[in-house]
Amino acid sequence: MNDRRLFWVAAAVLALMLAWRWDHRAIDHPPGVLVPQSPVQQAAGGSVFAHDDFILTRRATFEIRARVLGTERYRLGREADLSPLDLALGWGPMSDSAVLDQLSISQSGRWYHLRWPSAAPLAEQAIMGHSGNMHMVPATSYEAGILKKLRPGQVVSIKGYLVDVDTEDGWYWRTSLSRDDVGGGACEIVYVESVMVEG
């Protein structure tokens, strides 16, 4: 490859990277609670249905309106075949820029990490009880497309089910049913039947 062609290839790659970063840039908000309401769920009776090669059990209906704190895509592993995206979501005080500006938020390995430089802006119980890392299982390619385009700072409304996951060979994945748990098993597995973005 000659120098001129290499230059244009590098320029094209750089342009694509900049365009991707622009499309996924965070949205800023002034201080104040954006989403006052908490997620709503009700026991769903445990009905079972197939989704691709997975067997899903409806544990609870689930509705959430929340501020997107972060998104993380996954491409490797059995979990990624079912749930290619995690959303870190916040509501109540965890939708307030005055609080979030004092926190460092990251996601990796299907976990959600929060750090603060010195004193926490809220009690740790309030921070964890008003935010969560949720594994998204889009019902169709339509929901998948919307979820992939979400940006930190947007307010999103999601309706569906909290589900447990099994396969015929014995592999399984279990959802949390509580907003107050932490550590392993504390993430919700959300089967997404409806998703709307507000801003």
Side-chain angles (χ1 to χ4, degrees), residues 126-171:
I127 291 174
M128 303 312 296
H130 291 87
S131 65
N133 186 65
M134 303 189 183
H135 311 313
M136 298 289 120
V137 180
T140 70
S141 59
Y142 175 77
E143 289 81 21
I146 296 174
L147 291 168
K148 287 177 183 177
K149 294 178 182 177
L150 288 174
R151 295 156 53 189
Q154 288 182 311
V155 175
V156 63
S157 294
I158 293 171
K159 294 182 181 180
Y161 292 90
L162 298 181
V163 295
D164 284 341
V165 184
D166 294 274
T167 62
E168 292 184 353
D169 64 4
W171 183 87

Tab-separated table of all heavy atoms in Angstrom, residues 126-171:
chain	number	residue	atom	x	y	z
A	126	ALA	N	-28.356	4.521	49.290
A	126	ALA	CA	-29.184	5.301	48.370
A	126	ALA	C	-28.632	5.229	46.953
A	126	ALA	O	-29.394	5.163	45.981
A	126	ALA	CB	-29.269	6.745	48.840
A	127	ILE	N	-27.305	5.244	46.818
A	127	ILE	CA	-26.693	5.143	45.495
A	127	ILE	C	-27.056	3.816	44.849
A	127	ILE	O	-27.529	3.760	43.703
A	127	ILE	CB	-25.161	5.295	45.591
A	127	ILE	CG1	-24.794	6.730	45.973
A	127	ILE	CG2	-24.484	4.898	44.275
A	127	ILE	CD1	-23.315	6.946	46.228
A	128	MET	N	-26.843	2.714	45.575
A	128	MET	CA	-27.084	1.397	45.008
A	128	MET	C	-28.579	1.097	44.863
A	128	MET	O	-28.980	0.364	43.959
A	128	MET	CB	-26.408	0.324	45.859
A	128	MET	CG	-24.900	0.523	46.030
A	128	MET	SD	-24.014	0.861	44.471
A	128	MET	CE	-24.293	-0.674	43.577
A	129	GLY	N	-29.398	1.669	45.737
A	129	GLY	CA	-30.836	1.414	45.675
A	129	GLY	C	-31.558	2.199	44.603
A	129	GLY	O	-32.734	1.935	44.325
A	130	HIS	N	-30.863	3.170	43.993
A	130	HIS	CA	-31.479	3.980	42.946
A	130	HIS	C	-30.726	3.866	41.616
A	130	HIS	O	-30.819	4.747	40.769
A	130	HIS	CB	-31.555	5.448	43.384
A	130	HIS	CG	-32.521	5.680	44.497
A	130	HIS	ND1	-32.165	5.556	45.818
A	130	HIS	CD2	-33.843	6.003	44.481
A	130	HIS	CE1	-33.220	5.811	46.578
A	130	HIS	NE2	-34.243	6.073	45.803
A	131	SER	N	-30.006	2.792	41.458
A	131	SER	CA	-29.302	2.548	40.204
A	131	SER	C	-29.090	1.057	40.041
A	131	SER	O	-29.189	0.298	41.008
A	131	SER	CB	-27.953	3.286	40.172
A	131	SER	OG	-27.071	2.774	41.166
A	132	GLY	N	-28.794	0.658	38.838
A	132	GLY	CA	-28.542	-0.755	38.608
A	132	GLY	C	-27.934	-1.004	37.248
A	132	GLY	O	-28.089	-0.208	36.317
A	133	ASN	N	-27.226	-2.120	37.152
A	133	ASN	CA	-26.713	-2.600	35.873
A	133	ASN	C	-27.657	-3.695	35.399
A	133	ASN	O	-27.884	-4.675	36.109
A	133	ASN	CB	-25.302	-3.158	36.036
A	133	ASN	CG	-24.684	-3.531	34.711
A	133	ASN	OD1	-24.435	-2.679	33.876
A	133	ASN	ND2	-24.438	-4.815	34.499
A	134	MET	N	-28.245	-3.514	34.231
A	134	MET	CA	-29.282	-4.432	33.769
A	134	MET	C	-28.898	-5.029	32.427
A	134	MET	O	-28.490	-4.319	31.506
A	134	MET	CB	-30.620	-3.709	33.686
A	134	MET	CG	-31.031	-3.096	35.016
A	134	MET	SD	-32.719	-2.466	35.022
A	134	MET	CE	-32.758	-1.753	36.702
A	135	HIS	N	-29.049	-6.355	32.319
A	135	HIS	CA	-28.740	-7.087	31.091
A	135	HIS	C	-29.974	-7.041	30.185
A	135	HIS	O	-31.029	-7.556	30.544
A	135	HIS	CB	-28.392	-8.538	31.405
A	135	HIS	CG	-27.379	-8.713	32.497
A	135	HIS	ND1	-26.196	-7.993	32.545
A	135	HIS	CD2	-27.370	-9.532	33.587
A	135	HIS	CE1	-25.500	-8.382	33.604
A	135	HIS	NE2	-26.194	-9.295	34.251
A	136	MET	N	-29.830	-6.429	29.008
A	136	MET	CA	-30.950	-6.249	28.104
A	136	MET	C	-31.073	-7.428	27.141
A	136	MET	O	-30.105	-7.798	26.469
A	136	MET	CB	-30.788	-4.966	27.293
A	136	MET	CG	-30.756	-3.695	28.131
A	136	MET	SD	-32.376	-3.292	28.837
A	136	MET	CE	-31.968	-3.331	30.594
A	137	VAL	N	-32.277	-7.999	27.069
A	137	VAL	CA	-32.591	-9.065	26.119
A	137	VAL	C	-33.667	-8.528	25.178
A	137	VAL	O	-34.858	-8.540	25.514
A	137	VAL	CB	-33.095	-10.333	26.833
A	137	VAL	CG1	-33.409	-11.429	25.812
A	137	VAL	CG2	-32.089	-10.814	27.866
A	138	PRO	N	-33.291	-7.997	24.026
A	138	PRO	CA	-34.295	-7.423	23.125
A	138	PRO	C	-35.202	-8.500	22.548
A	138	PRO	O	-34.734	-9.548	22.098
A	138	PRO	CB	-33.452	-6.744	22.042
A	138	PRO	CG	-32.123	-7.403	22.092
A	138	PRO	CD	-31.919	-7.861	23.500
A	139	ALA	N	-36.512	-8.235	22.549
A	139	ALA	CA	-37.468	-9.208	22.023
A	139	ALA	C	-37.310	-9.386	20.521
A	139	ALA	O	-37.450	-10.494	19.989
A	139	ALA	CB	-38.892	-8.773	22.374
A	140	THR	N	-37.011	-8.288	19.813
A	140	THR	CA	-36.849	-8.336	18.356
A	140	THR	C	-35.679	-7.440	17.956
A	140	THR	O	-35.122	-6.703	18.769
A	140	THR	CB	-38.121	-7.840	17.632
A	140	THR	OG1	-38.256	-6.427	17.831
A	140	THR	CG2	-39.370	-8.556	18.150
A	141	SER	N	-35.363	-7.462	16.684
A	141	SER	CA	-34.279	-6.617	16.175
A	141	SER	C	-34.640	-5.137	16.282
A	141	SER	O	-33.742	-4.285	16.343
A	141	SER	CB	-33.962	-6.984	14.723
A	141	SER	OG	-35.103	-6.820	13.898
A	142	TYR	N	-35.938	-4.823	16.323
A	142	TYR	CA	-36.351	-3.426	16.451
A	142	TYR	C	-35.894	-2.863	17.793
A	142	TYR	O	-35.271	-1.798	17.852
A	142	TYR	CB	-37.868	-3.312	16.312
A	142	TYR	CG	-38.391	-1.913	16.543
A	142	TYR	CD1	-38.266	-0.936	15.558
A	142	TYR	CD2	-39.001	-1.563	17.746
A	142	TYR	CE1	-38.741	0.354	15.764
A	142	TYR	CE2	-39.467	-0.273	17.959
A	142	TYR	CZ	-39.337	0.677	16.972
A	142	TYR	OH	-39.803	1.951	17.182
A	143	GLU	N	-36.215	-3.564	18.897
A	143	GLU	CA	-35.768	-3.114	20.215
A	143	GLU	C	-34.243	-3.119	20.305
A	143	GLU	O	-33.650	-2.222	20.904
A	143	GLU	CB	-36.354	-4.007	21.314
A	143	GLU	CG	-37.830	-3.843	21.552
A	143	GLU	CD	-38.689	-4.599	20.560
A	143	GLU	OE1	-38.169	-5.553	19.937
A	143	GLU	OE2	-39.872	-4.239	20.390
A	144	ALA	N	-33.611	-4.113	19.689
A	144	ALA	CA	-32.151	-4.180	19.724
A	144	ALA	C	-31.531	-2.943	19.086
A	144	ALA	O	-30.558	-2.381	19.592
A	144	ALA	CB	-31.666	-5.441	19.005
A	145	GLY	N	-32.106	-2.495	17.966
A	145	GLY	CA	-31.575	-1.326	17.286
A	145	GLY	C	-31.673	-0.063	18.119
A	145	GLY	O	-30.744	0.752	18.132
A	146	ILE	N	-32.787	0.108	18.828
A	146	ILE	CA	-32.951	1.287	19.683
A	146	ILE	C	-31.972	1.232	20.850
A	146	ILE	O	-31.314	2.224	21.183
A	146	ILE	CB	-34.396	1.396	20.192
A	146	ILE	CG1	-35.362	1.604	19.023
A	146	ILE	CG2	-34.530	2.556	21.183
A	146	ILE	CD1	-36.817	1.576	19.424
A	147	LEU	N	-31.867	0.073	21.480
A	147	LEU	CA	-30.988	-0.064	22.638
A	147	LEU	C	-29.536	0.238	22.278
A	147	LEU	O	-28.814	0.875	23.044
A	147	LEU	CB	-31.106	-1.476	23.214
A	147	LEU	CG	-32.440	-1.817	23.893
A	147	LEU	CD1	-32.525	-3.312	24.155
A	147	LEU	CD2	-32.624	-1.034	25.182
A	148	LYS	N	-29.093	-0.205	21.114
A	148	LYS	CA	-27.699	-0.005	20.711
A	148	LYS	C	-27.353	1.467	20.517
A	148	LYS	O	-26.190	1.846	20.598
A	148	LYS	CB	-27.415	-0.773	19.426
A	148	LYS	CG	-27.337	-2.277	19.609
A	148	LYS	CD	-27.125	-2.965	18.271
A	148	LYS	CE	-27.120	-4.479	18.431
A	148	LYS	NZ	-26.981	-5.157	17.116
A	149	LYS	N	-28.351	2.288	20.244
A	149	LYS	CA	-28.103	3.708	19.975
A	149	LYS	C	-28.210	4.591	21.216
A	149	LYS	O	-28.003	5.802	21.129
A	149	LYS	CB	-29.088	4.198	18.911
A	149	LYS	CG	-28.881	3.558	17.551
A	149	LYS	CD	-29.926	4.046	16.550
A	149	LYS	CE	-29.753	3.387	15.195
A	149	LYS	NZ	-30.817	3.809	14.240
A	150	LEU	N	-28.536	4.009	22.356
A	150	LEU	CA	-28.711	4.816	23.562
A	150	LEU	C	-27.407	5.485	23.983
A	150	LEU	O	-26.326	4.912	23.837
A	150	LEU	CB	-29.238	3.948	24.701
A	150	LEU	CG	-30.703	3.508	24.581
A	150	LEU	CD1	-31.057	2.532	25.685
A	150	LEU	CD2	-31.638	4.720	24.627
A	151	ARG	N	-27.548	6.684	24.541
A	151	ARG	CA	-26.400	7.466	24.983
A	151	ARG	C	-26.557	7.834	26.447
A	151	ARG	O	-27.676	8.065	26.920
A	151	ARG	CB	-26.307	8.746	24.151
A	151	ARG	CG	-26.033	8.522	22.693
A	151	ARG	CD	-26.509	9.682	21.835
A	151	ARG	NE	-25.999	10.958	22.289
A	151	ARG	CZ	-26.421	12.132	21.803
A	151	ARG	NH1	-27.357	12.188	20.891
A	151	ARG	NH2	-25.903	13.260	22.260
A	152	PRO	N	-25.447	7.906	27.187
A	152	PRO	CA	-25.532	8.373	28.572
A	152	PRO	C	-26.208	9.739	28.636
A	152	PRO	O	-25.942	10.623	27.813
A	152	PRO	CB	-24.067	8.448	29.002
A	152	PRO	CG	-23.373	7.435	28.147
A	152	PRO	CD	-24.077	7.516	26.816
A	153	GLY	N	-27.095	9.886	29.603
A	153	GLY	CA	-27.835	11.132	29.761
A	153	GLY	C	-29.236	11.085	29.203
A	153	GLY	O	-30.096	11.867	29.602
A	154	GLN	N	-29.493	10.167	28.278
A	154	GLN	CA	-30.847	10.041	27.757
A	154	GLN	C	-31.768	9.443	28.815
A	154	GLN	O	-31.336	8.689	29.688
A	154	GLN	CB	-30.869	9.172	26.497
A	154	GLN	CG	-30.259	9.852	25.293
A	154	GLN	CD	-30.326	8.994	24.044
A	154	GLN	OE1	-29.959	7.818	24.067
A	154	GLN	NE2	-30.783	9.572	22.938
A	155	VAL	N	-33.043	9.790	28.732
A	155	VAL	CA	-34.062	9.175	29.579
A	155	VAL	C	-34.789	8.143	28.737
A	155	VAL	O	-35.254	8.437	27.627
A	155	VAL	CB	-35.038	10.224	30.139
A	155	VAL	CG1	-36.169	9.544	30.909
A	155	VAL	CG2	-34.303	11.203	31.038
A	156	VAL	N	-34.875	6.924	29.258
A	156	VAL	CA	-35.450	5.815	28.504
A	156	VAL	C	-36.539	5.152	29.330
A	156	VAL	O	-36.439	5.055	30.564
A	156	VAL	CB	-34.348	4.808	28.113
A	156	VAL	CG1	-33.705	4.181	29.345
A	156	VAL	CG2	-34.882	3.725	27.192
A	157	SER	N	-37.584	4.710	28.648
A	157	SER	CA	-38.664	3.930	29.279
A	157	SER	C	-38.654	2.539	28.671
A	157	SER	O	-38.701	2.389	27.444
A	157	SER	CB	-40.025	4.592	29.054
A	157	SER	OG	-40.095	5.837	29.719
A	158	ILE	N	-38.597	1.529	29.536
A	158	ILE	CA	-38.515	0.137	29.090
A	158	ILE	C	-39.613	-0.669	29.776
A	158	ILE	O	-39.845	-0.529	30.977
A	158	ILE	CB	-37.127	-0.453	29.431
A	158	ILE	CG1	-36.042	0.231	28.596
A	158	ILE	CG2	-37.106	-1.966	29.202
A	158	ILE	CD1	-34.630	-0.117	29.017
A	159	LYS	N	-40.291	-1.504	28.992
A	159	LYS	CA	-41.308	-2.404	29.531
A	159	LYS	C	-41.012	-3.817	29.069
A	159	LYS	O	-40.560	-4.027	27.934
A	159	LYS	CB	-42.705	-1.995	29.058
A	159	LYS	CG	-43.180	-0.654	29.583
A	159	LYS	CD	-44.595	-0.351	29.093
A	159	LYS	CE	-45.071	1.005	29.598
A	159	LYS	NZ	-46.454	1.308	29.136
A	160	GLY	N	-41.256	-4.765	29.954
A	160	GLY	CA	-41.032	-6.158	29.609
A	160	GLY	C	-41.134	-7.036	30.824
A	160	GLY	O	-42.038	-6.870	31.659
A	161	TYR	N	-40.182	-7.950	30.958
A	161	TYR	CA	-40.189	-8.912	32.056
A	161	TYR	C	-38.787	-9.083	32.617
A	161	TYR	O	-37.797	-8.971	31.886
A	161	TYR	CB	-40.677	-10.284	31.570
A	161	TYR	CG	-42.134	-10.324	31.169
A	161	TYR	CD1	-42.516	-10.047	29.866
A	161	TYR	CD2	-43.118	-10.624	32.104
A	161	TYR	CE1	-43.851	-10.069	29.490
A	161	TYR	CE2	-44.454	-10.651	31.744
A	161	TYR	CZ	-44.814	-10.381	30.443
A	161	TYR	OH	-46.147	-10.402	30.080
A	162	LEU	N	-38.709	-9.378	33.907
A	162	LEU	CA	-37.490	-9.928	34.486
A	162	LEU	C	-37.555	-11.433	34.294
A	162	LEU	O	-38.569	-12.069	34.626
A	162	LEU	CB	-37.397	-9.583	35.974
A	162	LEU	CG	-37.337	-8.088	36.309
A	162	LEU	CD1	-37.232	-7.892	37.814
A	162	LEU	CD2	-36.191	-7.389	35.596
A	163	VAL	N	-36.489	-11.996	33.734
A	163	VAL	CA	-36.532	-13.400	33.347
A	163	VAL	C	-35.341	-14.178	33.897
A	163	VAL	O	-34.243	-13.642	34.058
A	163	VAL	CB	-36.568	-13.558	31.813
A	163	VAL	CG1	-37.858	-12.972	31.237
A	163	VAL	CG2	-35.350	-12.933	31.142
A	164	ASP	N	-35.592	-15.452	34.177
A	164	ASP	CA	-34.521	-16.416	34.391
A	164	ASP	C	-34.262	-17.118	33.070
A	164	ASP	O	-35.163	-17.251	32.225
A	164	ASP	CB	-34.919	-17.451	35.449
A	164	ASP	CG	-34.859	-16.902	36.864
A	164	ASP	OD1	-34.190	-15.873	37.088
A	164	ASP	OD2	-35.496	-17.497	37.757
A	165	VAL	N	-33.022	-17.579	32.892
A	165	VAL	CA	-32.612	-18.162	31.618
A	165	VAL	C	-32.068	-19.571	31.850
A	165	VAL	O	-31.281	-19.796	32.781
A	165	VAL	CB	-31.526	-17.300	30.943
A	165	VAL	CG1	-31.168	-17.857	29.573
A	165	VAL	CG2	-31.977	-15.844	30.844
A	166	ASP	N	-32.488	-20.495	31.002
A	166	ASP	CA	-31.975	-21.863	31.017
A	166	ASP	C	-31.739	-22.335	29.598
A	166	ASP	O	-32.278	-21.771	28.634
A	166	ASP	CB	-32.975	-22.805	31.707
A	166	ASP	CG	-33.142	-22.513	33.187
A	166	ASP	OD1	-32.342	-23.036	33.983
A	166	ASP	OD2	-34.063	-21.754	33.537
A	167	THR	N	-30.928	-23.374	29.477
A	167	THR	CA	-30.746	-24.046	28.191
A	167	THR	C	-30.885	-25.546	28.400
A	167	THR	O	-30.827	-26.045	29.532
A	167	THR	CB	-29.363	-23.751	27.581
A	167	THR	OG1	-28.345	-24.256	28.457
A	167	THR	CG2	-29.157	-22.258	27.369
A	168	GLU	N	-31.062	-26.261	27.303
A	168	GLU	CA	-31.268	-27.702	27.394
A	168	GLU	C	-30.050	-28.445	27.927
A	168	GLU	O	-30.176	-29.530	28.482
A	168	GLU	CB	-31.676	-28.255	26.029
A	168	GLU	CG	-33.057	-27.793	25.586
A	168	GLU	CD	-33.491	-28.414	24.275
A	168	GLU	OE1	-32.648	-29.102	23.643
A	168	GLU	OE2	-34.656	-28.214	23.875
A	169	ASP	N	-28.852	-27.853	27.778
A	169	ASP	CA	-27.644	-28.534	28.268
A	169	ASP	C	-27.293	-28.171	29.708
A	169	ASP	O	-26.227	-28.531	30.198
A	169	ASP	CB	-26.463	-28.266	27.332
A	169	ASP	CG	-26.063	-26.790	27.294
A	169	ASP	OD1	-26.645	-25.984	28.050
A	169	ASP	OD2	-25.166	-26.443	26.498
A	170	GLY	N	-28.165	-27.434	30.392
A	170	GLY	CA	-27.963	-27.165	31.807
A	170	GLY	C	-27.399	-25.814	32.163
A	170	GLY	O	-27.286	-25.474	33.346
A	171	TRP	N	-27.013	-25.010	31.178
A	171	TRP	CA	-26.518	-23.668	31.463
A	171	TRP	C	-27.673	-22.800	31.936
A	171	TRP	O	-28.806	-22.932	31.465
A	171	TRP	CB	-25.892	-23.077	30.207
A	171	TRP	CG	-25.288	-21.710	30.395
A	171	TRP	CD1	-24.029	-21.429	30.816
A	171	TRP	CD2	-25.922	-20.444	30.151
A	171	TRP	NE1	-23.833	-20.063	30.855
A	171	TRP	CE2	-24.978	-19.436	30.456
A	171	TRP	CE3	-27.192	-20.074	29.716
A	171	TRP	CZ2	-25.267	-18.086	30.328
A	171	TRP	CZ3	-27.486	-18.716	29.603
A	171	TRP	CH2	-26.521	-17.737	29.899
